[in-house]
Amino acid sequence: MRWESLFEDLEALLEAESAREKTSEIQEAVRVERAREALIQRLSPQINAHVEVQLLGGDRLHGRLAALGKDWFMLRRGEIEELVPIHALSGWTQRTQGQRQDAGEPRIGLGQALRVLVRDRARISIGGIDGSLLATGTLDQAGKDFLEIARHERDEYRRAPALQGSSLVPIPVVAWVRREN
């Protein structure tokens, strides 16, 4: 009788150890999977959530997370749209629940998103990662690593007589691009 009890105890110990090992393996697999997750993937479930973001220069933006790209996101607040490169982000606070974006990995890069603004002849303002206003006007070109902005008064259209010059802004110093309607 004592032998049967001893064997049952040993069997229970082996099963418990096996369960602990399996739990440990699962936990490690989850940690590895989470370590592979990129910031944009982490933000994906927050589409349509109301968020506040802190940028490198101290600027704070808020709005509904309207879109995600490979290296940018867009906030919408009423009629205002702000395109923010991920490199300018220093903090993120989600205020309301969002919904998962099922389109898979974001494929549109920052350059492509900026070229849409060029195509639309959009009037924009550009903020820098140092917190300054870098330029306002019409986005004329989105190059590989720079933006060219035709400068003119806010209430003027981009016409030759209204132009006050142009500005070149390196993309790495851009914290946000605000589309003005």
Side-chain angles (χ1 to χ4, degrees):
M1 202 61 168
R2 288 184 5 192
W3 285 105
E4 287 176 8
S5 177
L6 176 64
F7 289 141
E8 287 174 2
D9 287 347
L10 286 175
E11 204 171 292
L13 285 172
L14 286 173
E15 286 178 15
E17 181 61 29
S18 177
R20 276 194 299 275
E21 285 178 13
K22 190 171 196 161
T23 299
S24 179
E25 288 173 11
I26 291 170
Q27 289 171 338
E28 181 61 19
V30 168
R31 282 191 290 270
V32 167
E33 186 66 28
R34 286 184 174 173
R36 292 181 182 147
E37 185 177 49
L39 179 59
I40 286 293
Q41 292 167 321
R42 181 66 179 89
L43 300 180
S44 178
Q46 298 180 26
I47 290 291
N48 290 320
H50 185 266
V51 300
E52 281 182 28
V53 296
Q54 174 80 34
L55 303 180
L56 291 176
D59 285 342
R60 286 178 133 3
L61 304 177
H62 66 91
R64 183 179 57 82
L65 180 60
L68 282 173
K70 278 196 287 194
D71 51 357
W72 60 273
F73 59 91
M74 184 175 66
L75 298 179
R76 186 171 286 137
R77 190 174 60 253
E79 294 293 315
I80 298 170
E81 294 176 337
E82 293 163 319
L83 190 69
V84 181
I86 286 294
H87 72 256
L89 183 65
S90 66
W92 181 281
T93 304
Q94 180 179 342
R95 296 293 181 196
T96 63
Q97 284 296 96
Q99 60 195 39
R100 179 162 290 283
Q101 184 178 17
D102 290 330
E105 286 287 315
R107 295 185 309 227
I108 298 173
L110 179 61
Q112 292 167 298
L114 291 167
R115 284 190 289 282
V116 169
L117 295 174
V118 172
R119 180 199 67 204
D120 293 349
R121 308 294 291 157
R123 172 129 176 87
I124 51 109
S125 296
I126 299 176
I129 57 173
D130 63 354
S132 67
L133 179 63
L134 299 176
T136 61
T138 300
L139 189 56
D140 271 354
Q141 183 179 356
K144 180 179 180 178
D145 61 354
F146 73 95
L147 301 174
E148 184 172 4
I149 299 91
R151 300 179 67 101
H152 53 84
E153 292 295 324
R154 181 174 174 73
D155 59 346
E156 295 281 340
Y157 289 105
R158 190 206 179 287
R159 304 273 189 264
L163 291 181
Q164 300 170 349
S166 67
S167 295
L168 294 176
V169 177
I171 289 177
V173 302
V174 172
W176 51 263
V177 178
R178 182 175 296 136
R179 181 184 199 134
E180 300 178 2
N181 295 326

